[in-house]
Amino acid sequence: MTSHAMISGHRSALRPQLLLSEPQKRILWHLRTAGPTSRVQLAEAMGMNGATMTRVTQQVATLGLVEELAGNANAGRGRPMIPLAICGQGGWSAGATLHPGWLEIVIVDFAGTPLLRDSIPFTETDPKLFARMLDTRLRALVAQHGFMRGKFLGLGVAVAGYALNDDRNRRKMVDWLAPWNDVPLDEILGDALGMPVWVENDGTAAALAEYYQPRILGAYRSVLVFFLGHGVGAGLIAERDLFPGEHRNAGEVGRLFPGHGPRPSGIDLMRTLREAGVDISSLSDIDHLLESHADVIEAWADRVAAQLEQAVLSGIVWLDPGAVVISGALPQPILQGLAARLEAINATRDSSYLAATPQIHASTIGSAAVVIGAALAPIHAITAIRV
C-alpha cells in the first residue's frame, strides 16, 4: 500500500504496518548504533552463523530497510565484506505537535533523518479539528514531495499532558488544550487521519529524538533528557527503549517545580526578561537578546542550574544513565551554558566517587526535538528490541 493510500484510506488497527522478527530487529539496531557493518562482522556481533546472517539480511534487504554500500569489490560468495547500512528509503513517518497559535509537522525517513519541517498557523483547540487540519496538510506534503514512493509507517503526536489511568491515549493537558482532556486521542486522531497513531508526552518525544542523535545513539544504552520549553519535562531511554513508568508518566519532573514559583522553563526566562524591561512575546525572540541582555540571562541560568541540580542528581543516582541531555526550546548557547554548569556541579560533588558518572550534553536540535521525536515514535515502535 502506498503512503498516499494510507493517508486517504480507512484506519486499520493502530499497530505497526511492518512486523519484524527479533533477529531482524537486532540487526537493524546494530546497524543504527554501530553504523555500516559487513555481514561477517554482524554475524560475529550477533552470535549468528553465516548462513543465518545471510538469510536474515536478505529478508531486511528485500523489505528495503538496509542497503549495501561500496565495499570490497573482490568479496566472495555472499559478498560478506560489503558493509550494510540502514536505508532511509525503507520507509517514512510523520510527527506533529500543537503550539499556541501554530501546528508543526516533521517527516523523517527510516534512518531517522528529518526530510522536512513544516509549520502552519492554527488556533483551534478541538482535537477533531486538529486531526482534519493535519490530514489536509499531510496530503499536501505527500503530493508535493513524492513520499508516496516510500512506505508510510505511522504518525506520532507529541502532547503537553500526562497520562490518566495508565492510558497513554487519555491525558490531562495544559489549560489551553482543555478540549483534549481525557478523550481517546488515538481513536479521534486515527479515525480522522486513517493511519496508525502514537501519542507521546512532549518530554518523552524529545527524549526519543535526542537519543537518536548519532553522537548519543552509538555511545549510550540509557539516557536521561530534560526538556525546557513552555514548561519543564523529561524523558528516559533505558536499555535503548522508552521507559514509560508504571502509570506511563515517567519524567513528569514539572511536579518538582510548582507553577506559583520560579521554574526552569522558557516561559520563566521570558518573565525574567520582561521584569528587566524587555518587550518579548515569544521564545524565538530570546536568540536576539543573548548579547544585549547577557547579564540577565546568565543570572537566570545560574538559578536554573541550581534548581535542576537535585532533579538531575536524583535521575543519575536512581537510573545510572550513560548521559544526561539538556534540551529545550531555548537558544543553543543557553542550553550549552546550563549543561556546563550542571557538569561542573556534578564533577565537584563526585570528586571522590570512583565509578563512572554520566556526561552532560547540550542538545544540538533544541526546539525541534519534540516534533522529531514524535515522528520517530512509529519507527522506534517497529524496530526497538524489547528486553
Side-chain angles (χ1 to χ4, degrees):
M1 180 179 294
T2 66
S3 59
H4 181 75
M6 179 65 71
I7 287 177
S8 59
H10 184 269
R11 177 175 67 100
S12 58
L14 297 182
R15 292 293 183 270
Q17 297 300 296
L18 180 63
L19 299 177
L20 300 175
S21 68
E22 287 303 306
Q24 291 170 341
K25 291 180 180 180
R26 289 178 61 205
I27 288 172
L28 291 173
W29 262 106
H30 186 88
L31 294 176
R32 284 197 191 279
T33 56
T37 308
S38 72
R39 289 173 176 82
V40 170
Q41 293 168 325
L42 277 171
E44 183 177 349
M46 303 284 98
M48 295 183 186
N49 61 49
T52 300
M53 177 57 60
T54 297
R55 183 180 70 253
V56 178
T57 54
Q58 285 177 343
Q59 291 168 354
V60 290
T62 299
L63 292 170
L65 305 181
V66 301
E67 60 184 344
E68 293 182 341
L69 303 181
N72 184 355
N74 297 318
R77 184 174 178 271
R79 296 183 293 177
M81 298 308 294
I82 295 178
L84 296 175
I86 296 291
C87 180
Q89 296 181 357
W92 58 276
S93 64
T97 192
L98 189 59
H99 305 275
W102 56 291
L103 166 63
E104 185 177 18
I105 300 171
V106 159
I107 293 178
V108 302
D109 67 15
F110 189 71
T113 304
L115 303 176
L116 66 86
R117 187 179 179 189
D118 179 74
S119 62
I120 55 173
F122 187 74
T123 58
E124 300 289 346
T125 57
D126 185 326
K128 294 181 180 179
L129 296 179
F130 165 83
R132 292 173 193 164
M133 175 58 77
L134 184 55
D135 179 53
T136 298
R137 191 59 186 161
L138 282 175
R139 286 174 186 261
L141 293 172
V142 164
Q144 180 180 354
H145 296 278
F147 293 118
M148 69 284 292
R149 289 175 293 184
K151 302 171 186 176
F152 182 73
L153 303 176
L155 169 74
V157 178
V159 298
Y162 57 84
L164 298 172
N165 302 318
D166 306 346
D167 185 349
R168 70 194 305 169
N169 297 304
R170 289 181 176 270
R171 295 179 176 268
K172 173 65 174 69
M173 307 291 282
V174 292
D175 292 343
W176 66 275
L177 278 180
W180 292 54
N181 285 339
D182 200 15
V183 297
L185 293 174
D186 61 333
E187 295 179 14
I188 291 174
L189 300 174
D191 284 339
L193 288 153
M195 62 179 69
V197 175
W198 283 260
V199 179
E200 295 288 357
N201 170 267
D202 50 9
T204 299
L208 191 60
E210 297 292 356
Y211 185 66
Y212 268 68
Q213 297 308 296
R215 64 179 180 142
I216 302 295
L217 184 63
Y220 309 107
R221 298 193 314 275
S222 300
V223 175
L224 181 63
V225 176
F226 289 84
F227 189 86
L228 312 184
H230 286 84
V232 52
L236 173 67
I237 303 294
E239 294 301 322
R240 298 199 168 104
D241 200 4
L242 288 169
F243 180 80
E246 183 79 11
H247 305 293
R248 312 201 74 86
N249 286 316
E252 277 293 304
V253 297
R255 297 176 62 193
L256 300 174
F257 309 103
H260 58 265
R263 309 185 80 209
S265 70
I267 292 298
D268 183 76
L269 177 54
M270 288 174 58
R271 178 193 59 77
T272 301
L273 288 165
R274 289 193 191 105
E275 291 176 351
V278 180
D279 182 14
I280 182 172
S281 59
S282 170
L283 293 178
S284 62
D285 297 334
I286 296 174
D287 193 53
H288 306 296
L289 303 170
L290 293 176
E291 292 187 10
S292 61
H293 290 76
D295 55 341
V296 176
I297 293 173
E298 288 294 307
W300 177 86
D302 287 340
R303 188 256 291 169
V304 165
Q307 283 185 289
L308 288 174
E309 176 186 0
Q310 286 304 311
V312 172
L313 177 62
S314 296
I316 289 173
V317 299
W318 281 104
L319 305 170
D320 189 27
V324 175
V325 180
I326 307 301
S327 182
L330 295 170
Q332 192 171 34
I334 295 180
L335 298 177
Q336 291 171 336
L338 289 171
R341 286 170 170 84
L342 290 165
E343 182 77 38
I345 292 171
N346 197 40
T348 301
R349 178 191 298 107
D350 293 331
S351 59
S352 61
Y353 185 63
L354 301 182
T357 57
Q359 183 175 353
I360 301 179
H361 298 264
S363 170
T364 59
I365 55 176
S367 63
V370 169
V371 70
I372 291 175
L376 286 167
I379 292 173
H380 183 77
I382 290 168
T383 59
I385 302 171
R386 312 300 177 186
V387 295

